[in-house]
Structures are given as C-alpha cells and as structure tokens.
Amino acid sequence: MVVVGGLVAMTVFGQAPQPGAAPAAPRFPPIESIEPIATNLYRITGEGGNSAVFVRGGGVLLVDTKLADNGQRLVDQIKKVTDKPITHIVNTHTHGDHTGSNAFFAPSVEVVTQANTAANMLKMPAFQSAEGKVGVADRTFTDKLTLFSGREAVDLYYFGAGHTDGDAFVVFRDARVMHSGDIFATKGLPLLDANNGGSGVAIGDTLTKAAAGITNVDRIITGHTDTLPWQDLVDYAEFNRLFLEHARTSRAAGKTPEQAAADLKLPAKFSDYNLAGRGGPVTNLTLIYAELAK
C-alpha cells in the first residue's frame, strides 16, 4: 500500500488553485521538435499542453494550440512534416495553455470544441479584441462528433465533468490513438478547475464512462506528459474513484482534509503517481468536500 500526506510542491502545471480561484500561471519547457506517433500523426510538446498534428488529404488538424504567442512556432514544426495548410483546430478544453494561440490562425481555420468549452472560452479575456471574438469555437458538439470519414475519421467524445465541464476526448480512429487533454494530463492528482465546471466528484465516473465507451484505442497522448498505453486510462479512472471514496468516508467520519490526506492509502499499482504536486491531496480533498456539502 502507498501512504501519502498533504505535501505541497510546484509542478510544471503550476500551484494548484484554491477553491474558486483560477489556476496559477504554469511553467513549461520550450517547443523544440515534432515527434511521430503514428502514420500522419505527430505530437508537439512544450509551451503548454501537448499538441497533436494530424495530416490528412485536405490539410492539417491541430489539437490544442498551447500558450499565447506560439502560433508561428507550431507552424514551423508542422512545416517539417507537411506543406499542407492547417484547416481545423480542436481544443480539448478552455485553458490558455491549450487555446492560447488560437487567435494566430486565419479565420478560415475551423475551431471545434465541446459546447461547454465554447461557452467557457467566451468568458476569457484572451478571446476578446477590438474587432470582436477571436479564436473561439466555430463548431461545437454535445456528446459525440465525427470529423472527416474513412481512414481520416476523427471522433470527438464528451462523457461529463472532470478537469473542466467541457473535456473532449479526441480519437484518431485509424491510428488507434487518443488525445485526452487534461482530464488525463499525467499519472497523479488531477487539477480540478471548479471555475470552469471541474468536479472531483464526477471525474472518476467520467473517466470510467470514457474507458467503457471508447474502443479500439491503444495509446493516449496525455495533456502534459508521455504517450501512455490505454490501460493507464483505465487505472486512472480507478484511482479517481478510490480517491472520491476516501473523501466521502473521511468527511462522514468528521475528518478534516488534512487528516484525510494523512491517512490516504492506495493500492501499490499507484506507487508511481505524483501525489505531491498541485497542493497535494489536501487541495483536491478540500474541493471534493465543498462539492459534497452542496
């Protein structure tokens, strides 16, 4: 068994927000390369969340545009593998380290998001300009949307709240690869953005639905770390269900979030999970306690 306490540490995702607060400015390495993942599918790391690049007959689909002022850097990397134009952007959720460079791209580039993410983006100052809204969603979906067809098909799924209330799972069907965005950013405590509908009560169930509802995927481009096997998503769903169960039991017993964090016990298979960053278990337990009190 693994026993963890309420340690506080900084990670590349920044300090965890307090309940009701916006996430702090993150720190990221630079963009340095474009990495092949499968045929016509690539990953670009650095300067925000992992970006996926899908080269199709009619152009390029880009998943997530990183922090602001990285549009040209993304284009420079994409030009290493194709001269085709970027025709579509999919944003996995609303945060600026995944949507920050949307406005760099021409209005002809179609931006696609889950409906709740589209609404969240409209609240962000980054998408306002003297001319009006820039880089916001042109097309939305509620539960599922398929872009393109045949071997180029890309399936977008939504299963409920988690990191935010608009987390999209992006499946490159022929490659058997999925981009999970930050609902599965890394093997560790999730960042729960309550301001944008994130939920520690719902996230385990949402991930479980995704693991059951999405088929024929072998590998996952996570929000911020390595490309991982599908089983890691299944395990991550279990981790979040167990964390919620511990929070419920601890709250019912009258324990504070600090006390609950001190006696948190998890199966050994989660021994490589980072439980110290983002404010440690105390932060997520505090958020979950607040949700359970509603």
Side-chain angles (χ1 to χ4, degrees):
M1 303 295 286
V2 180
V3 183
V4 294
L7 303 177
V8 179
M10 289 295 292
T11 73
V12 294
F13 303 97
Q15 185 68 33
Q18 295 302 309
R27 301 178 300 172
F28 298 106
I31 296 172
E32 295 182 334
S33 63
I34 183 166
E35 167 196 1
I37 299 295
T39 302
N40 296 325
L41 181 63
Y42 304 84
R43 183 181 74 155
I44 301 174
T45 61
E47 290 294 339
N50 290 329
S51 297
V53 175
F54 179 50
V55 182
R56 46 181 294 272
V60 173
L61 167 67
L62 174 63
V63 179
D64 288 345
T65 63
K66 304 189 179 294
L67 293 167
D69 302 321
N70 282 287
Q72 188 59 53
R73 295 185 182 95
L74 284 166
V75 169
D76 291 344
Q77 293 299 326
I78 293 169
K79 283 183 176 179
K80 293 179 180 179
V81 298
T82 183
D83 291 327
K84 293 179 179 179
I86 297 168
T87 58
H88 295 76
I89 290 170
V90 172
N91 294 125
T92 58
H93 62 291
T94 193
H95 290 153
D97 57 322
H98 295 257
T99 63
S101 292
N102 277 25
F104 170 85
F105 297 94
S108 60
V109 176
E110 184 178 49
V111 178
V112 185
T113 74
Q114 202 277 336
N116 294 334
T117 288
N120 291 335
M121 289 167 69
L122 290 174
K123 298 182 293 184
M124 297 169 63
F127 291 100
Q128 318 301 321
S129 74
E131 294 76 30
K133 310 293 184 183
V134 292
V136 297
D138 301 300
R139 186 177 182 186
T140 65
F141 72 99
T142 302
D143 299 314
K144 184 181 178 184
L145 173 68
T146 297
L147 301 175
F148 322 125
S149 61
R151 300 189 66 176
E152 294 185 342
V154 177
D155 299 312
L156 311 182
Y157 295 89
Y158 176 72
F159 292 98
H163 175 61
T164 69
D165 64 359
D167 300 306
F169 297 85
V170 184
V171 176
F172 303 94
R173 195 187 297 177
D174 190 60
R176 300 177 65 94
V177 173
M178 180 177 80
H179 194 311
S180 65
D182 281 1
I183 194 167
F184 185 24
T186 181
K187 293 199 293 185
L189 288 168
L191 191 154
L192 305 171
D193 181 4
N195 281 346
N196 283 298
S199 171
V201 172
I203 189 171
D205 184 52
T206 297
L207 288 162
T208 300
K209 289 177 181 177
I214 298 173
T215 59
N216 300 316
V217 171
D218 300 322
R219 291 179 294 159
I220 300 167
I221 300 173
T222 60
H224 285 273
T225 51
D226 295 333
T227 300
L228 299 174
W230 178 258
Q231 183 61 40
D232 283 350
L233 178 74
V234 177
D235 292 344
Y236 192 60
E238 179 186 0
F239 166 81
N240 281 281
R241 294 195 307 270
L242 291 174
F243 193 91
L244 173 61
E245 180 182 338
H246 178 72
R248 286 188 189 277
T249 302
S250 298
R251 181 175 178 271
K255 295 181 180 180
T256 66
E258 290 77 13
Q259 291 169 329
D263 62 10
L264 174 64
K265 297 179 176 65
L266 295 166
K269 70 179 180 179
F270 301 117
S271 61
D272 62 339
Y273 274 42
N274 174 20
L275 304 183
R278 307 178 188 175
V282 172
T283 296
N284 284 25
L285 286 163
T286 300
L287 286 164
I288 292 171
Y289 274 31
E291 281 193 77
L292 293 173
K294 293 179 181 178

